[in-house]
Amino acid sequence: MNDERLQGPNTKIIHGGQHPDRETGAVSVPIYQSSTFAFESAEHGAACFRGGPGYKYTRLGNPTTEALERSVAFLEGGAGALGAASGMAAINSLYMTLLGAGAHMVAGDALYGPSRTIVETEFSRFGVEADFVDSSDPANVERAIRPETVLVYIETPANPTLKLTDIEACAEIAHAHGSVLAVDNTFASPHLQNPIELGADIVVHSMTKFINGHSDVVAGMIVAADEEMLERLRRVHVNLGGTMDPHQAWLVLRGIKTLGLRVEKAQANAMAVARHLEAHPAVEWVRYPGLESHPQHELASRQMRGPGGIISFGVVGGVEGGQRFIDAAELMVRAVSLGGIETLVEHPASMTHKGVPVDERLEAGITDDLVRVAVGCEDSEDLIADLDRALEQAMSGVAVGV
Ligand SMILES: *Cc1c(COP(=O)(O)O)cnc(C)c1O
């Protein structure tokens, strides 16, 4: 393919790795809803199983799924990618490929919940050890490395604290110790951040979020920086079985075409919302990488092409204030997840992190007053009107200092 055509970000998203269907010229990649593929001859079948071109069985490869794999691999600058049934299926294939008895992993302490829990409760049964450190200071990652560390795993920006981790610094640390750096790039999306360019070996995505973008599909992707890692991951992934269904792939292919438009709109809204929140008397603090007040604003400008669409802030009135805020939302949807076209609000202390012991939750920076807004693509004036309404409710019954 002539990559010279693909200069701007939206051109890359729409055309990168894509071509009309070779059989029919269909512009939208058809859904090859078939579990198996006929061989022309015994010799053709044998050649396919020797690793030659051609499809054999959908768990091992499917034309619709491959179109999406080529797209995400192109956008992340990887050698190739593997579609997964969910973000967690992608993450578990990554873990299963790299971890084993006696292996050690260093990870950020603010990982997506199940990404941490599965290591602590299940991989530990197979003799895997892990340390979870505050990776916003790379020195903590370096200190935790042991001779048997095979994987450094980070998420940046992290959920829901929006703490950032320096990808380039972590890649240097991991490689100096002969280990692999994997990055969960879900929060930023490939439109805003490309960890492989910064030295990462593997990128994983929950495509449920920004990449699909329409709150209607659960899906994941693993991207490998080089062919050797891709083949290692593929061997495990196709046998573990958490691969992608062609219909699911087609829906995500439809969603990804507008990734740039959606992320830019959500980000512009988020900036307007964050500035508005900063000036509001019912708001104690705002954490958004696009604000100068974010402690890693400089790192955000360096490793991301934009601050993204997610904001965390503290609302007056503690847990009850947070719940009053969420209850009063009329336009913003009370729901977990993020990266959809509609704005979603959640209150971690009473929802996603309710089951986490209070001291552990507070230590991770997830305070009682923290509200997370995953800003969508509505018009910012309407979002701000809804926020003001909800903030007024949060304030009711609370004496606000001036
Ligand atoms: C949602 C999410 C996941 C898990 O993805 P699923 O598609 O729900 O399995 C992993 N990492 C991050 C950062 C997420 O937000």
Side-chain angles (χ1 to χ4, degrees):
M1 189 177 47
N2 171 16
D3 284 353
E4 292 299 301
R5 296 175 302 141
L6 310 179
Q7 295 297 333
N10 287 297
T11 312
K12 287 180 179 165
I13 289 169
I14 294 165
H15 294 288
Q18 302 305 303
H19 50 73
D21 184 46
R22 301 216 199 277
E23 196 72 23
T24 63
V27 170
S28 160
V29 178
I31 310 172
Y32 285 95
Q33 195 74 48
S34 183
S35 60
T36 193
F37 298 85
F39 304 122
E40 287 160 18
S41 64
E43 176 43 36
H44 177 217
C48 284
F49 275 95
R50 277 197 306 270
Y55 297 98
K56 306 183 279 286
Y57 184 65
T58 277
R59 179 162 45 72
L60 308 176
N62 175 286
T64 315
T65 306
E66 281 183 7
L68 180 60
E69 291 169 342
R70 283 196 306 272
S71 170
V72 180
F74 182 89
L75 296 178
E76 287 291 13
L82 301 164
S86 66
M88 284 317 300
I91 291 162
N92 276 304
S93 284
L94 155 72
Y95 286 167
M96 196 62 101
T97 303
L98 293 167
L99 303 175
H104 176 250
M105 150 177 166
V106 178
D109 61 359
L111 294 189
Y112 183 70
S115 303
R116 176 170 179 162
T117 316
I118 194 107
V119 172
E120 289 179 323
T121 61
E122 313 304 336
F123 280 85
S124 59
R125 294 190 287 121
F126 305 109
V128 172
E129 293 191 14
D131 280 303
F132 299 90
V133 301
D134 179 357
S135 58
S136 64
D137 180 358
N140 294 331
V141 174
E142 175 105 61
R143 263 193 297 277
I145 299 252
R146 303 182 197 165
E148 61 275 22
T149 305
V150 295
L151 172 63
V152 175
Y153 182 57
I154 56 171
E155 222 174 89
T156 178
N159 177 36
T161 54
L162 298 175
K163 266 203 274 196
L164 267 54
T165 295
D166 187 328
I167 298 171
E168 207 164 10
C170 286
E172 271 173 32
I173 293 166
H175 296 158
H177 295 88
S179 94
V180 164
L181 175 69
V183 180
D184 181 332
N185 201 28
T186 299
F187 260 51
S189 92
H191 185 61
L192 297 181
Q193 177 172 279
N194 297 120
I196 289 174
E197 279 175 9
L198 300 168
D201 305 285
I202 299 171
V203 169
V204 289
H205 279 287
S206 168
M207 301 197 297
T208 313
K209 316 296 166 52
F210 285 103
I211 291 184
N212 179 62
H214 292 76
S215 310
D216 54 7
V217 182
V218 170
M221 189 67 81
I222 319 163
V223 188
D226 62 58
E227 288 290 343
E228 192 191 333
M229 182 59 80
L230 179 67
E231 292 316 313
R232 266 181 83 186
L233 288 160
R234 187 194 308 278
R235 278 197 301 277
V236 174
H237 185 56
V238 300
N239 287 344
L240 261 180
T243 52
M244 180 169 251
D245 177 83
H247 184 249
Q248 189 185 17
W250 183 82
L251 284 167
V252 180
L253 272 167
R254 187 159 83 155
I256 200 172
K257 302 283 185 201
T258 54
L259 176 68
L261 301 175
R262 288 184 285 102
V263 169
E264 295 295 336
K265 175 64 178 164
Q267 180 168 266
N269 281 347
M271 199 67 218
V273 164
R275 292 238 184 269
H276 184 78
L277 288 171
E278 251 191 338
H280 199 287
V283 174
E284 314 255 26
W285 52 269
V286 183
R287 184 62 49 84
Y288 180 61
L291 293 176
E292 295 76 12
S293 60
H294 191 290
Q296 296 161 294
H297 180 63
E298 185 275 326
L299 175 60
S301 321
R302 186 149 46 85
Q303 78 179 8
M304 301 175 75
R305 285 184 290 273
I310 299 153
I311 304 169
S312 286
F313 68 95
V315 67
V316 289
V319 173
E320 292 77 23
Q323 289 185 301
R324 276 198 299 274
F325 172 87
I326 296 275
D327 272 336
E330 291 178 5
L331 183 65
M332 300 179 290
V333 182
R334 285 174 287 277
V336 297
S337 198
L338 54 107
I341 41 163
E342 53 287 283
T343 297
L344 306 175
V345 282
E346 81 122 342
H347 179 233
S350 67
M351 295 178 183
T352 41
H353 294 69
K354 174 90 182 137
V356 180
V358 175
D359 50 338
E360 219 175 275
R361 170 167 66 75
L362 294 176
E363 199 180 325
I366 305 164
T367 46
D368 291 350
D369 61 352
L370 189 153
V371 171
R372 186 186 78 185
V373 190
V375 181
C377 299
E378 300 92 337
D379 297 299
S380 61
E381 299 77 9
D382 296 332
L383 286 175
I384 286 171
D386 198 38
L387 277 165
D388 282 348
R389 195 158 42 228
L391 286 169
E392 202 158 307
Q393 282 306 310
M395 269 196 297
S396 64
V398 180
V400 181
V402 249

